[in-house]
């Protein structure tokens, strides 16, 4: 990725991208900056940066930050984009004024809004191509959504003309203009020279007393420059997220799009509108997802799996033919081919469940590695533990991995059998093929093939109940 501002000669053929992300998001009533609110499992701004990154190198993408600038900067720093400060937020026009020095060396600049997250790179390409083809000073990306209220409207020269006379903000609309269906998306392409030549002529003579970038349309137009508009194919991708309700609409649209992508690739998703699936999740064909499942983060799922209702899988890798029964929670773990999990199992980070292994009802694992065919079917806690292939962990077995200060490891070999309700006090090693009697408290290593029983011997007193009753009768 080369920096495209050569020190001696301006790279006039190139384009910069400016993403306006300095606003507070007053309409959200939230402490969190608007662009860090999430749809589809990631912040609005991350979506916009991802789209921009398809058409420009990070070194040419400038994010205008202001409200809680450090927080915004930090959350997307890893993308390698550049930042521009807008210390006081005096409107979208002012945001671009603050980016003046950054963009001066580029021939063109694409302006995106940090709160319009569903924009696709293909649409940005079309906008840019149209801008070049029209040789326009300003090209506005527009749409005709079902409900245009709240958005700036596009005043075209005439109905069929690509040329635009002005953008009128909602609060300045005359009653006749209210019915204009075409809205401003807040996404534009500019030739930098005319933009910067007229940018300082913006005036705060509007409802908010701000410098509106939208006023550039009329400004450039009256200076004789060419201002055109191109309509996006789908309105949804240019809708803004100003309120939580609007964000949740976009969230639903985004997740449904992800579900459709997976279904087109052969995955069955029952009632997809009830499932929460993050954009980067991958699922192979012939896997079945039941209603009310959440698949989050970088989860990868193989073929022929079934994820039953109410399970939440985050940042996990599942092999082929895995069954996740109802109500399981899996995080940062892997489950190999043919394994069966749940119902009501909790795989915490670092769990590695081997091929054909079983993790059953109310079993919790953490940093636990189970070998091929190992089974822990009921009511167990396996933390910081390895369990060899074919080993059976009885109901209620607990690894005592924490001494109040440090975590210790339990190692259980292959083909071993740990009786129900045993506690294994780590560090401890149960070797291959060893048996542990039910109800044992194991504090020392058990050698291969041995039986360890660590419990009090049973005492049985014949006739004790009748004798006690007789004594009680006497006292009366
Ligand atoms: C803006 C447009 C409107 C358009 C709509 C599309 C203006 C005046 N209006 O309205 O025509 O229909 O977007 O979604 O531009 N921002 C800054 N600095 C500021 C103010 C805003 O960086 O000083 C950023 C915000 O963080 C946001 C973006 O610019 O990401 C748009 O600002 P917002 O206040 O949401 O504008 P809208 O009222 O939605
Ligand atoms: Ca907005």
């Amino acid at each position: 990725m080369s920096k495209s501002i050569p020190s001696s000669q301006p790279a006039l053929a190139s384009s910069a991208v400016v993403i306006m992300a300095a606003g507070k998001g007053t309409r959200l009533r939230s402490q969190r900056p608007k662009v860090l609110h999430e749809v589809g499992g990631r912040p609005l701004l991350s979506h916009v940066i991802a789209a921009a990154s398809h058409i420009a190198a990070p070194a040419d993408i400038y994010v205008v930050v202001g409200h809680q600038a450090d927080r915004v900067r930090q959350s997307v720093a890893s993308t390698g984009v550049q930042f521009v400060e807008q210390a006081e937020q005096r409107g979208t026009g002012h945001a671009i004024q603050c980016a003046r020095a950054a963009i001066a060396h580029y021939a063109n600049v694409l302006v995106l809004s940090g709160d319009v997250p569903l924009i696709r790179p293909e649409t940005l390409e079309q906008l840019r191509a149209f801008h070049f083809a029209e040789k326009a000073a300003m090209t506005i990306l527009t749409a005709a959504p079902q409900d245009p209220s709240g958005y700036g409207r596009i005043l075209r020269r005439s109905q069929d003309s690509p040329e635009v006379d002005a953008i009128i903000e909602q609060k300045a609309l005359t009653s006749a203009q209210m019915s204009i269906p075409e809205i401003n998306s807040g996404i534009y392409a500019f030739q930098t020279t005319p933009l910067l030549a007229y940018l300082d002529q913006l005036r705060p003579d509007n409802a908010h007393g701000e410098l509106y970038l939208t006023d550039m349309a009329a400004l450039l137009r009256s200076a004789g420059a060419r201002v055109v508009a191109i309509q996006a194919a789908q309105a949804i991708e240019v809708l803004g997220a100003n309120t939580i309700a609007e964000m949740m609409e976009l969230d639903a649209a985004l997740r449904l799009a992800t579900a459709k992508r997976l279904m087109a690739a052969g995955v069955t998703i029952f009632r997809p509108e009830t499932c929460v699936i993050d954009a980067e999740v991958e699922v192979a064909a012939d896997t079945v997802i039941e209603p009310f499942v959440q698949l989050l983060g970088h989860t990868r799922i193989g073929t022929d799996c079934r994820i039953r209702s109410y399970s939440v899988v985050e940042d996990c890798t599942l092999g082929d033919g895995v069954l996740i029964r109802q109500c399981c929670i899996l995080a940062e773990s892997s489950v190999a081919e043919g394994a069966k999990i749940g119902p009501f199992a909790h795989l915490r980070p670092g769990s590695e469940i081997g091929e054909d292994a079983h993790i059953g009802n109310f079993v919790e694992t953490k940093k636990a590695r189970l070998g091929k065919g190992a089974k822990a079917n009921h009511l167990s806690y396996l933390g910081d533990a390895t369990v060899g292939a074919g080993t059976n962990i009885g109901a209620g077995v607990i690894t005592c991995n924490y001494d109040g200060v440090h975590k210790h490891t339990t190692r259980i070999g292959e083909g071993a059998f740990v009786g129900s309700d045993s506690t294994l006090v780590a560090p401890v090693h149960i070797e291959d093929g060893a048996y542990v009697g039910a109800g044992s408290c194991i504090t020392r290593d058990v050698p291969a093939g041995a039986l360890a029983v660590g419990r009090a011997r049973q005492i049985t007193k014949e006739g004790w109940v009748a004798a006690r009753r007789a004594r009680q009768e006497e006292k009366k």
Side-chain angles (χ1 to χ4, degrees):
M1 265 161 265
S2 65
K3 179 99 182 147
S4 43
I5 310 174
S7 51
S8 52
Q9 195 190 4
L12 273 174
S14 60
S15 302
V17 175
V18 174
I19 303 175
M20 301 181 292
K24 180 163 182 251
T26 312
R27 287 162 280 187
L28 285 175
R29 318 226 184 294
S30 163
Q31 294 300 315
R32 204 178 342 156
K34 173 161 65 174
V35 294
L36 296 189
H37 277 258
E38 293 187 359
V39 302
R42 59 178 176 165
L44 301 179
L45 182 56
S46 302
H47 287 277
V48 180
I49 290 175
S53 300
H54 277 90
I55 62 158
D60 300 319
I61 299 173
Y62 299 87
V63 179
V64 183
V65 292
H67 178 70
Q68 294 192 33
D70 286 344
R71 199 168 159 190
V72 175
R73 210 187 282 255
Q74 240 171 34
S75 84
V76 296
S78 64
T79 59
V81 296
Q82 315 288 310
F83 296 95
V84 167
E85 281 271 351
Q86 187 193 13
E88 204 189 328
Q89 292 85 55
R90 292 169 45 212
T92 45
H94 181 243
I96 302 304
Q97 286 178 353
C98 293
R100 175 186 283 277
I103 62 177
H105 298 288
Y106 297 86
N108 289 277
V109 53
L110 217 60
V111 175
L112 311 186
S113 287
D115 66 344
V116 180
L118 267 47
I119 186 70
R120 291 178 313 135
E122 294 84 345
T123 306
L124 295 178
E125 292 281 17
Q126 282 165 10
L127 169 67
R128 191 160 62 174
F130 189 72
H131 176 67
F132 289 151
E134 290 284 326
K135 297 191 170 56
M138 175 182 190
T139 304
I140 307 155
L141 182 66
T142 70
Q146 271 188 343
D147 177 12
S149 61
Y151 291 92
R153 304 306 155 76
I154 303 299
L155 226 62
R156 293 222 184 208
R157 175 75 49 84
S158 67
Q159 214 178 355
D160 304 319
S161 168
E163 285 191 77
V164 171
D165 281 339
I167 303 171
I168 317 283
E169 287 304 290
Q170 170 79 30
K171 286 189 176 159
L173 291 172
T174 63
S175 50
Q177 288 167 339
M178 296 268 186
S179 61
I180 295 176
E182 189 174 20
I183 63 141
N184 168 29
S185 68
I187 296 172
Y188 323 83
F190 289 97
Q191 281 174 9
T192 314
T193 307
L195 170 67
L196 296 186
Y198 290 93
L199 194 56
D200 289 336
Q201 294 189 16
L202 293 174
R203 294 289 170 264
D205 50 3
N206 52 58
H208 290 110
E210 290 185 346
L211 299 176
Y212 284 172
L213 186 58
T214 46
D215 288 345
M216 284 307 298
L219 260 178
L220 288 169
R221 169 77 197 91
S222 56
R226 188 168 172 81
V227 179
V228 299
I230 177 176
Q231 201 165 317
Q234 314 156 9
I236 183 84
E237 64 174 298
V238 302
L239 294 188
N242 297 307
T243 63
I244 304 269
E246 283 173 358
M247 279 183 201
M248 292 307 101
E249 272 173 40
L250 298 184
D251 181 84
L254 204 58
R255 293 187 191 282
L256 205 55
T258 304
K260 283 184 176 159
R261 165 174 69 78
L262 295 176
M263 290 191 282
V267 180
T268 297
I269 307 178
F270 289 105
R271 304 295 302 271
E273 72 280 13
T274 66
C275 294
V276 178
I277 305 178
D278 280 354
E280 281 155 60
V281 168
E282 293 296 338
V283 185
D286 295 316
T287 281
V288 176
I289 315 284
E290 294 190 0
F292 296 100
V293 161
Q294 298 195 38
L295 304 177
L296 308 173
H298 294 272
T299 291
R300 302 268 174 283
I301 300 179
T303 181
D304 281 321
C305 296
R306 191 172 189 103
I307 317 294
R308 310 214 56 183
S309 291
Y310 310 111
S311 289
V312 181
V313 183
E314 182 162 16
D315 293 323
C316 288
T317 303
L318 277 51
D320 298 338
V322 167
L323 171 63
I324 308 290
R325 296 194 176 95
Q326 291 90 338
C327 305
C328 291
I329 300 173
L330 285 68
E332 294 169 43
S333 292
S334 66
V335 180
E337 192 170 339
K340 293 181 169 60
I341 311 291
F344 298 99
H346 187 184
L347 270 50
R348 291 168 50 205
S351 299
E352 294 172 35
I353 311 304
E355 215 177 297
D356 296 320
H358 290 188
I359 294 288
N361 311 260
F362 305 103
V363 172
E364 173 184 350
T365 63
K366 188 218 69 173
K367 276 192 198 157
R369 206 165 67 234
L370 271 77
K372 183 173 180 176
K375 292 189 173 97
N377 270 329
H378 326 270
L379 303 158
S380 269
Y381 172 60
L382 301 172
D384 302 300
T386 58
V387 178
T391 286
N392 190 87
I393 305 292
V397 169
I398 304 290
T399 56
C400 309
N401 59 328
Y402 187 46
D403 62 12
V405 182
H406 297 108
K407 298 279 168 63
H408 302 282
T409 308
T410 301
R411 286 183 295 150
I412 306 172
E414 295 187 359
F417 179 95
V418 181
S420 293
D421 202 28
S422 293
T423 50
L424 311 176
V425 182
V428 72
H429 185 184
I430 295 164
E431 293 181 25
D432 291 350
Y435 268 52
V436 170
S440 292
C441 177
I442 299 296
T443 53
R444 280 174 289 157
D445 293 352
V446 183
L451 165 70
V453 183
R455 64 186 183 223
R457 255 178 205 286
Q458 182 173 334
I459 306 166
T460 307
K461 298 185 175 177
E462 295 277 356
W464 180 86
V465 177
R468 176 168 175 264
R469 251 186 222 135
R471 281 197 304 276
Q472 283 168 337
E473 282 302 315
E474 271 168 33
K475 279 186 195 158
K476 274 188 185 167

